Amino acid sequence: MKTRISLAALITMMLLVTFSCQQEKKSTIDKKWWKEAIVYQIYPRSFSDSDGDGIGDLKGIISKLDYIKSLGVDVVWLNPIYSSPNDDNGYDISDYRAIMKDFGTMEDFDALLKGMHERGIKVVMDVVVNHSSDEHEWFKQSRSSRTNPYRDYYHWWNADKGKPNFRYSLFDINHDAWKYDSLTDAYYLHYFSRKQPDLNWENPKLRQEVYAMMKFWADKGVDGFRLDAFQFAAKDTTFPKFPDGFEKDFMKYYAVGPHLHDYLQEMNKEVFSKYDVMSVAEGAGNSFEDAHNMVDADRSELNMAYAFDGVDIAKPQGYSVNHFKEVFSRWDSAFADKGWLSIFLANHDQARMVSRFGNDQPAFRDLSSKMLSTFIMTMRGTPYYYFGDELGMTNAGFEKIEDYRDMPSLNEYRHQKDIGGDIPKLLEQLKFSCRDNGRTPFQWDTTMNAGFSTGKPWIQVNRNYRTINQAQQEKDPNSCLNYFRKLTALRKSHPELVYGKYALLDKANDKVYAYTREFDGQTVVVLLNFSFTEAETTIPNDLKNATLLLSNYGNTAIPQGKTVTLRPYEAMVLKL
Ligand code: NOJ
């Protein structure tokens, strides 16, 4: 009897300890709205054109607010909408406090923000401050004389010191990041195009101007900032010589230069800490350490970053599913305890998700696109979902250079012509990877120009708009669009998909990506067949008593056991 009582007491004690541990575990999860959010990225130029000039605009977005709401997303990230001569479609800003004429007016912006907020959707703005446009007043002043007060807003190298050490430009026709300017007999630096001179972050006045500009938008009520190319903002301004061939290891020499973290901490103190805004950096530096230094909460820099390792995997000749799994698992484990990531497979700098990672042939487009969306919506990290992917929009695959609009691609074409390069090869590459593939107008319906514009679109509409469009998918309960809505609802109703621990299953399987997400005693199993054939996976969990939460096939039976045969591009989400 005595033993029995103490055994009962022991069990009670153990239960209490487990419970309090769980409580403790629960309370250590740092819940944030931006971790729970689903971000939908809109490329304004290509979403909806309200005035028939062939260019998408803010009023166009306003006219589609209910559609955006219907997707179940929480945040909209807008690519730059500021005044710009559009050398790089708005990533060359000539006035950070004004709206690009093509896109409308500040009143339109205010109405857009209001309309989003009325629907419970937050708005994230792109902040492009590694560089400005060469048509920005700061640069006009800066180049006017060596003694102008704005001279130090940019990086100048006086020619009397000789030629500066070579720096690689990503977008320049000759890839030379120094451009000679005879007006003051000096070179200015531009990591991107000649019309995108790099700002000098060592200058405290410039930094204060940037923070004031960000506050201007935060005061208007915007809910977050995406820092474009910011990992390149800090430079060693003595511009030392880099070893030969350094451009092949670009990031090592260019990313996270001296004082970058000081600048981010200052920006956090001056801007982020004063508002309930989210912050995300494009690029996560050169290592996990760099990334952690940017996003670990106790450092007060940014909320999250997005790394390119995942999207860089896709190649025209295909990619290894095991490589894909390895990259996403590695990034997850590096951030399992600290920091936060973004999950994405496409954006305006990538070709279309289904054409790169799935299979855009008619037989598999729909299935593989749903499967990839399932991946994005069931991984740990904040999902960034690119407009049009909810329809399974595909690469345009233009045949002729005249159809392309992307400045770096056109520069590369001219460069290859100049050096007698392999033009057919370049055109073949562009068909698969050019950013224009992801920038063609949103396909609303089967009317002229896919319902995007009554005028001539700035870039051709994908020829397949009569089969792939929102109006048709709206009516079909099994469409990619309606599947995406189920996915957003699923993520919203399952905290384990947001906060849950990720564990890779059946690691060596080269066709199936299987994993669990576990949180608070709840476990979800995700099974994704990345191939166009049937594929089998064996996992540690017996699924016969599981509940099927979602599947991209209409007639899916609960698997009976631990071995599951998945149909081509099949996606299943199950609850144990
Ligand atoms: C990254 C942006 O995403 C891209 O579109 C742009 O061309 C470069 N930064 C330069 O701003």
Side-chain angles (χ1 to χ4, degrees):
M1 184 66 172
K2 214 175 157 200
T3 343
R4 263 207 209 149
I5 289 171
S6 56
L7 194 65
L10 197 69
I11 292 170
T12 315
M13 258 172 61
M14 276 166 64
L15 282 174
L16 277 173
V17 169
T18 322
F19 179 72
S20 64
C21 282
Q22 273 180 358
Q23 287 299 96
E24 203 172 303
K25 222 176 169 189
K26 262 193 208 170
S27 59
T28 56
I29 297 256
D30 191 15
K31 293 192 173 175
K32 296 280 184 224
W33 66 262
W34 43 265
K35 293 184 180 173
E36 294 169 16
I38 297 169
V39 181
Y40 181 68
Q41 182 190 349
I42 293 183
Y43 197 65
R45 213 175 177 73
S46 301
F47 195 57
S48 177
D49 171 22
S50 71
D51 58 6
D53 65 357
I55 299 173
D57 47 43
L58 300 185
K59 280 199 172 122
I61 302 176
I62 292 173
S63 71
K64 303 294 183 186
L65 282 172
D66 289 335
Y67 170 74
I68 299 166
K69 172 73 185 162
S70 79
L71 297 174
V73 299
D74 316 271
V75 174
V76 164
W77 155 27
L78 296 174
N79 289 102
I81 54 165
Y82 318 94
S83 285
S84 164
N86 280 311
D87 182 52
D88 186 20
N89 285 2
Y91 281 94
D92 47 320
I93 298 170
S94 51
D95 185 346
Y96 290 93
R97 295 173 192 233
I99 301 293
M100 188 194 299
K101 287 202 176 59
D102 291 339
F103 289 173
T105 62
M106 194 58 92
E107 286 68 47
D108 297 338
F109 176 79
D110 293 338
L112 173 62
L113 188 62
K114 187 164 169 275
M116 292 274 188
H117 285 169
E118 278 166 2
R119 288 164 181 80
I121 300 171
K122 297 183 189 287
V123 175
V124 166
M125 303 284 278
D126 222 313
V127 175
V128 189
V129 286
N130 169 71
H131 46 270
S132 73
S133 161
D134 65 342
E135 296 184 32
H136 193 291
E137 189 55 32
W138 297 338
F139 190 74
K140 288 185 192 163
Q141 293 285 335
S142 182
R143 76 177 284 249
S144 66
S145 90
R146 287 189 182 187
T147 53
N148 186 281
Y150 287 90
R151 187 65 168 181
D152 287 345
Y153 273 44
Y154 296 87
H155 298 283
W156 289 97
W157 184 275
N158 292 339
D160 6 294
K161 292 196 282 177
K163 269 202 91 170
N165 284 316
F166 181 72
R167 285 296 179 272
Y168 184 81
S169 162
L170 290 156
F171 289 179
D172 189 82
I173 181 160
N174 300 319
H175 296 296
D176 184 350
W178 291 108
K179 168 94 173 76
Y180 178 72
D181 190 21
S182 59
L183 196 63
T184 55
D185 189 28
Y187 299 85
Y188 69 84
L189 186 73
H190 62 92
Y191 280 0
F192 294 91
S193 89
R194 293 171 189 183
K195 287 187 66 62
Q196 295 169 296
D198 282 35
L199 289 160
N200 178 8
W201 274 77
E202 280 188 1
N203 182 346
K205 279 200 214 129
L206 174 270
R207 300 205 300 272
Q208 288 306 324
E209 298 244 29
V210 170
Y211 307 146
M213 173 273 284
M214 292 170 82
K215 284 195 232 167
F216 167 83
W217 291 99
D219 286 336
K220 270 190 172 290
V222 310
D223 308 280
F225 299 101
R226 176 251 187 204
L227 296 183
D228 179 75
F230 198 72
Q231 54 181 349
F232 303 132
K235 284 133 182 139
D236 176 346
T237 51
T238 64
F239 297 108
K241 189 169 165 29
F242 290 156
D244 288 346
F246 75 89
E247 63 276 12
K248 295 196 183 72
D249 205 354
F250 187 80
M251 293 303 288
K252 184 168 158 205
Y253 293 94
Y254 283 76
V256 193
H259 305 299
L260 187 89
H261 297 293
D262 299 335
Y263 303 151
L264 285 172
Q265 278 166 21
E266 188 178 64
M267 187 184 281
N268 186 301
K269 189 167 144 270
E270 299 274 346
V271 188
F272 305 144
S273 67
K274 301 198 162 117
Y275 305 85
D276 184 19
V277 289
M278 62 170 259
S279 54
V280 54
E282 183 204 21
N286 209 18
S287 62
F288 288 145
E289 196 190 340
D290 281 348
H292 272 291
N293 285 345
M294 282 187 216
V295 302
D296 285 359
D298 47 10
R299 292 179 52 89
S300 299
E301 295 190 16
L302 298 169
N303 296 144
M304 60 187 130
Y306 59 85
F308 296 107
D309 289 20
V311 284
D312 286 348
I313 294 170
K315 297 280 177 288
Q317 61 277 17
Y319 66 98
S320 141
V321 176
N322 273 333
H323 185 198
F324 186 94
K325 288 158 60 168
E326 185 272 322
V327 167
F328 280 96
S329 303
R330 185 156 39 89
W331 275 89
D332 184 86
S333 65
F335 289 80
D337 299 323
K338 249 185 161 199
W340 192 253
L341 287 179
S342 320
I343 294 288
F344 70 106
L345 285 179
N347 63 30
H348 65 291
D349 289 332
Q350 312 286 331
R352 281 284 169 190
M353 170 176 91
V354 71
S355 302
R356 297 182 78 220
F357 288 99
N359 188 327
D360 62 10
Q361 293 307 300
F364 298 118
R365 183 188 56 79
D366 192 276
L367 284 167
S368 65
S369 159
K370 289 172 180 166
M371 186 277 291
L372 294 167
S373 298
T374 312
F375 168 73
I376 299 174
M377 291 298 154
T378 56
M379 280 296 277
R380 198 165 153 274
T382 300
Y384 283 66
Y385 198 83
Y386 190 53
F387 86 116
D389 282 348
E390 73 272 27
L391 306 179
M393 277 178 63
T394 67
N395 274 2
F398 297 133
E399 303 279 345
K400 305 189 297 297
I401 195 68
E402 293 73 31
D403 293 335
Y404 286 97
R405 299 287 173 270
D406 179 46
M407 171 267 293
S409 303
L410 296 176
N411 278 352
E412 191 54 29
Y413 179 84
R414 278 166 54 205
H415 178 64
Q416 291 299 326
K417 277 240 147 168
D418 289 350
I419 62 167
D422 188 342
I423 296 295
K425 187 172 160 209
L426 176 68
L427 286 175
E428 215 35 51
Q429 279 166 1
L430 292 179
K431 253 173 138 171
F432 178 77
S433 57
C434 179
R435 315 195 283 187
D436 282 343
N437 283 300
R439 296 178 176 185
T440 61
F442 191 91
Q443 295 163 206
W444 292 104
D445 54 39
T446 55
T447 63
M448 189 180 69
N449 301 324
F452 161 71
S453 172
T454 53
K456 186 172 184 285
W458 70 277
I459 189 168
Q460 268 179 46
V461 173
N462 193 314
R463 282 189 307 268
N464 61 21
Y465 75 90
R466 287 191 186 82
T467 31
I468 305 173
N469 62 71
Q470 184 257 339
Q472 176 269 327
Q473 294 200 18
E474 199 66 59
K475 290 182 265 171
D476 173 3
N478 297 318
S479 64
C480 287
L481 174 59
N482 283 315
Y483 184 80
F484 178 67
R485 288 178 174 135
K486 287 181 196 154
L487 274 171
T488 55
L490 185 74
R491 193 170 175 97
K492 296 274 138 205
S493 55
H494 289 79
E496 54 274 33
L497 293 178
V498 175
Y499 293 110
K501 188 164 95 43
Y502 157 93
L504 177 64
L505 312 175
D506 197 7
K507 185 172 171 211
N509 195 319
D510 61 0
K511 289 183 174 169
V512 176
Y513 194 167
Y515 48 91
T516 48
R517 301 292 315 283
E518 193 259 311
F519 176 67
D520 223 0
Q522 308 292 316
T523 305
V524 167
V525 179
V526 182
L527 305 176
L528 307 170
N529 181 359
F530 270 65
S531 80
F532 64 89
T533 56
E534 273 193 357
E536 200 173 87
T537 180
T538 301
I539 59 167
N541 321 73
D542 191 330
L543 294 172
K544 69 173 184 298
N545 294 321
T547 315
L548 183 69
L549 297 177
L550 195 60
S551 150
N552 61 347
Y553 275 78
N555 51 343
T556 307
I558 306 267
Q560 295 299 304
K562 299 181 177 183
T563 297
V564 185
T565 303
L566 295 166
R567 291 163 283 184
Y569 297 110
E570 185 160 22
M572 276 189 210
V573 185
L574 301 126
K575 179 127 185 173
L576 287 185

